[in-house]
Amino acid sequence: MAPSAPRTRAAAALRMKQIALDNQGRTIRRLRAQLATERRGLATLKKELEDTQVALEASHKVIAGLTEIGLSMSKKIERMKVKKQKVRTNHEECHQKFQARIHEAEDSMQAQHLLIEALVDEKDSLLQTIHGLQEANNAPAPFDGDWKEEPEEEPKEEEIEDIPLGEIDDD
């Protein structure tokens, strides 16, 4: 017996539906595999993103720390500059005071030298007066044979050098 046409058509249609269903099943499996691959890729990307965010936060903390250190160093440098200027000003004031004292000492030494010269002149004048009075009174000179006049020694003046202000170290 020969198969009937409607049955053959129904079988062919059923076979076609089976093939289409098999194709859809393969497509679904392929799409599910792609989806799983995409999900794994997405999970990897999420992990990389999290790692990047952690690294970025760590970088921000390092940058903030370095910025704080930089600001602290800047403040210290400014304080050191102020201190250096104060030291320089103090040095200049001390230098000026020291130079003024040196000049005062030199003036005082010069005044003392003039006073000594005046006293020596007065002593010579008094000795001459005494000698003149002794001669006038025919009195013997108390220092006739023993008197030896010592030569006057000029006191050596020590030169005190001015310290130039330019020798201040600017480092």
Side-chain angles (χ1 to χ4, degrees), residues 111-143:
Q112 288 174 356
H113 182 70
L114 291 174
L115 182 63
I116 290 170
E117 283 181 6
L119 289 173
V120 167
D121 289 343
E122 188 177 336
K123 178 193 88 168
D124 289 342
S125 171
L126 286 174
L127 285 175
Q128 285 178 355
T129 303
I130 289 172
H131 189 26
L133 288 173
Q134 284 176 343
E135 284 180 2
N137 292 331
N138 290 328
F143 304 113

Side-chain angles (χ1 to χ4, degrees), residues 77-155:
I77 289 170
E78 286 302 315
R79 285 193 303 262
M80 288 173 69
K81 284 180 181 178
V82 168
K83 185 177 180 181
K84 182 179 177 181
Q85 184 59 37
K86 285 180 182 178
V87 166
R88 180 176 288 135
T89 302
N90 188 29
H91 175 77
E92 289 173 0
E93 288 174 7
C94 287
H95 178 78
Q96 290 170 353
K97 287 177 183 178
F98 184 67
Q99 289 298 323
R101 287 181 185 166
I102 289 172
H103 291 300
E104 286 176 16
E106 287 173 347
D107 292 345
S108 174
M109 287 173 38
Q110 200 171 27
Q112 288 174 356
H113 182 70
L114 291 174
L115 182 63
I116 290 170
E117 283 181 6
L119 289 173
V120 167
D121 289 343
E122 188 177 336
K123 178 193 88 168
D124 289 342
S125 171
L126 286 174
L127 285 175
Q128 285 178 355
T129 303
I130 289 172
H131 189 26
L133 288 173
Q134 284 176 343
E135 284 180 2
N137 292 331
N138 290 328
F143 304 113
D144 270 348
D146 296 336
W147 177 261
K148 291 183 183 175
E149 182 124 359
E150 294 181 17
E152 279 188 37
E153 290 185 21
E154 292 287 326

Side-chain angles (χ1 to χ4, degrees), residues 8-91:
T8 315
R9 273 191 212 149
L14 189 60
R15 181 76 185 131
M16 291 297 280
K17 286 183 182 180
Q18 184 67 34
I19 290 171
L21 199 59
D22 287 343
N23 285 339
Q24 285 176 351
R26 277 193 297 272
T27 302
I28 289 172
R29 281 193 299 277
R30 186 175 45 83
L31 289 174
R32 282 186 178 159
Q34 280 180 343
L35 181 61
T37 303
E38 291 296 323
R39 283 184 178 160
R40 282 191 300 274
L42 182 60
T44 303
L45 285 176
K46 281 184 178 180
K47 178 67 176 148
E48 288 176 2
L49 178 62
E50 288 172 2
D51 292 345
T52 303
Q53 285 177 335
V54 168
L56 183 62
E57 287 174 9
S59 294
H60 284 160
K61 287 179 182 178
V62 168
I63 289 170
L66 290 175
T67 302
E68 187 176 329
I69 290 171
L71 290 174
S72 173
M73 294 293 285
S74 294
K75 288 177 184 177
K76 285 181 181 179
I77 289 170
E78 286 302 315
R79 285 193 303 262
M80 288 173 69
K81 284 180 181 178
V82 168
K83 185 177 180 181
K84 182 179 177 181
Q85 184 59 37
K86 285 180 182 178
V87 166
R88 180 176 288 135
T89 302
N90 188 29
H91 175 77

